[in-house]
Amino acid sequence: MRPGRKYGKTSTIKTTKKVKCKILFITIFLNCFYSFAKEYYVAPNGKDSNTGTKDSPVETIKKAQTLANSGDTIYIRGGLYMMKEEQIAQYYKIWAFVTKLDKDGINYLAYPNEAPVFNYSNIKPENRRVIAFLISGNNIKIKGIEVTGVQVTIKTHTQSECFAIQGNNNTLEQLKMYDNMAIGVYITRGSNNLILNCDAYRNWDSVSENGAGGNTDGFGCHAPQGNKNNVFRGCRAWFNSDDGFDLINSAEPVLIDHCWAFYNGYTFDFKKRADGNGFKCGGYASTPLNQLPNPIPRNTIQFCLAVGNKQGGFYSNHHLNGNNWYNNTAYRNRANYDMLNRKDLKPIDYLEDVPGWNHVLSNNLGYGARGAELVNIKKSACTLKNNYFDLSVMIKDSDFLSLDESFLTSPRQVDGNLPENNFMRLNSSCPIIDAGVDIGFPFKGKAPDLGCFESKY
Ligand code: CA
Ligand code: CA
């Protein structure tokens, strides 16, 4: 038995040597491989004549982009960037693109634990729509920066935008867009874009059309056919003068997942402004029949929260098809759920408003609507399962751990996820715990709860 142990020992030593050699080889290989990925730095005190290293940062993202290549990371140091008109990258038709990201595969990341703030209040090109960032490239990631002060100069119908997306496979993460006259994130072209854990708030165009603010949404996707799989996840929109989330004119399905929309349609001091829906999910306004997509997409809105919006919490906006509405919570909106559709994709019918059809609603909770819980729906033409408005159970304020709306603007978790607190979470005796139907999402207890917050019991 002793030799066996000895043999075993020798074998272990040999194996260890082999493993060490392998690790060394892999390390050298990886170092060679990753040495191609470079890092560049942008800082408020940088100069565009600098080399872009950490000790010699450039001043603008525009300059950093010229230095970087696909796979590279540009770190953006914290502090205030007062943007200047001479930094505008391109004037094109009616637009002024301040920063144009058209080079593929570059990461633009806030330096860890720092907050870069880009302020556009000095950029006021006459008769132009201001686009703070145009993302026309692909596989670009932007994380952790703040955009504020984007202006509108045009007095008639117009809009400005903080982030306009026209490329594919881009990720916008943990961005803050506030006190702009501009829309937060606006997707008009491209597939597989992910808008993750971003906040758009207090955006109001107070200049055009007498300050109605009718185009200033938090987030929007309005892409033509062929532009698929665009997703909003973990985002919050509040006090935007038009809608929180808007999917009007989108020709492909969009997913809105775990997002919150509250107080939209109001200015920050609750003055009424424009449409004011939390989630406006579909519709084509007066687009001619021959320009409508065919088929009309079904959007999916799941695990979202709508509170105190001026109009509908969840609104299908004259859509020409149903949407999927799963496990959402609506509270104190004028109508918590408004399923208004148009009749059919046919002449004349495509302009006729009718009660909603073809919608699938499961496990939704509506509570305390200012007007009505559920309006404009033809239930026999929809699939409704285990929604609060269909069940015979009654709940009251004390069934929630808290209805304190100040929790809505709590700081995010360190990883950027939505805050965890007691707002509209169900207390342990609430009768809508386990009142839902299993539709394929994870749940606790015997069955899913109603609404967007699955309780822990
Ligand atoms: Ca809108
Ligand atoms: Ca449950």
Side-chain angles (χ1 to χ4, degrees), residues 284-346:
Y284 301 92
S286 50
T287 303
L289 182 61
N290 63 2
Q291 290 172 32
L292 289 172
N294 193 357
I296 298 285
R298 296 181 65 83
N299 300 299
T300 298
I301 302 89
Q302 62 190 36
F303 298 95
C304 290
L305 173 68
V307 177
N309 294 289
K310 191 183 124 194
Q311 290 290 339
F314 296 91
Y315 178 40
S316 57
N317 192 36
H318 318 267
H319 202 40
L320 273 155
N321 196 354
N323 291 316
N324 305 318
W325 313 86
Y326 304 139
N327 276 94
N328 300 295
T329 294
Y331 175 55
R332 267 195 353 91
N333 303 282
R334 183 157 178 235
N336 275 342
Y337 295 85
D338 183 343
M339 298 290 110
L340 183 69
N341 275 15
R342 282 189 179 161
K343 195 171 176 186
D344 203 350
L345 195 57
K346 289 177 181 164

Side-chain angles (χ1 to χ4, degrees), residues 217 242-243 246 280:
D217 298 321
D242 204 40
D243 306 299
D246 194 333
K280 179 192 272 184

Side-chain angles (χ1 to χ4, degrees), residues 251-273:
E252 297 284 357
V254 176
L255 172 62
I256 306 180
D257 180 28
H258 285 89
C259 290
W260 297 0
F262 45 102
Y263 310 152
N264 294 291
Y266 300 104
T267 57
F268 60 92
D269 52 357
F270 279 105
K271 289 200 177 82
K272 284 185 183 175
R273 289 297 155 194

Side-chain angles (χ1 to χ4, degrees), residues 127-316:
N127 296 317
R128 304 275 187 167
R129 297 180 172 200
V130 179
I131 312 297
F133 286 87
L134 172 67
I135 302 153
S136 55
N138 310 302
N139 302 302
I140 291 167
K141 180 172 182 175
I142 310 176
K143 184 176 177 184
I145 68 173
E146 303 181 16
V147 168
T148 191
V150 176
Q151 301 290 301
V152 164
T153 61
I154 298 167
K155 298 268 173 38
T156 53
H157 189 75
T158 187
Q159 67 189 42
S160 290
E161 296 145 28
C162 298
F163 293 89
I165 298 187
Q166 296 181 0
N168 304 299
N169 309 312
N170 299 297
T171 302
L172 272 54
E173 184 176 355
Q174 284 177 261
L175 307 179
K176 291 182 186 173
M177 300 141 280
Y178 51 89
D179 298 323
N180 296 285
M181 297 182 191
I183 298 166
V185 176
Y186 194 72
I187 304 173
T188 52
R189 220 165 46 230
S191 296
N192 305 312
N193 294 293
L194 172 63
I195 315 305
L196 179 65
N197 294 339
C198 294
D199 285 340
Y201 52 101
R202 294 192 313 250
N203 298 300
W204 165 35
D205 166 8
S206 56
V207 168
S208 77
E209 298 176 302
N210 297 316
N215 276 338
T216 324
D217 298 321
F219 301 88
C221 182
H222 320 273
Q225 269 183 309
N227 298 270
K228 301 182 179 188
N229 303 321
N230 291 306
V231 176
F232 298 92
R233 178 169 289 133
C235 295
R236 289 187 295 192
W238 70 98
F239 281 136
N240 298 292
S241 58
D242 204 40
D243 306 299
F245 295 76
D246 194 333
L247 306 182
I248 192 170
N249 294 330
S250 183
E252 297 284 357
V254 176
L255 172 62
I256 306 180
D257 180 28
H258 285 89
C259 290
W260 297 0
F262 45 102
Y263 310 152
N264 294 291
Y266 300 104
T267 57
F268 60 92
D269 52 357
F270 279 105
K271 289 200 177 82
K272 284 185 183 175
R273 289 297 155 194
D275 287 359
N277 297 288
F279 298 86
K280 179 192 272 184
C281 298
Y284 301 92
S286 50
T287 303
L289 182 61
N290 63 2
Q291 290 172 32
L292 289 172
N294 193 357
I296 298 285
R298 296 181 65 83
N299 300 299
T300 298
I301 302 89
Q302 62 190 36
F303 298 95
C304 290
L305 173 68
V307 177
N309 294 289
K310 191 183 124 194
Q311 290 290 339
F314 296 91
Y315 178 40
S316 57

Side-chain angles (χ1 to χ4, degrees), residues 398-409:
S398 59
D399 284 313
F400 297 98
L401 291 174
S402 172
L403 290 173
D404 178 356
E405 295 175 24
S406 67
F407 278 130
L408 289 165
T409 51

Side-chain angles (χ1 to χ4, degrees), residues 433-434 443-449 454-455 457:
I433 287 178
D434 293 347
F443 60 84
K444 295 201 172 71
K446 293 193 191 84
D449 304 346
E454 180 75 12
S455 59
Y457 339 105

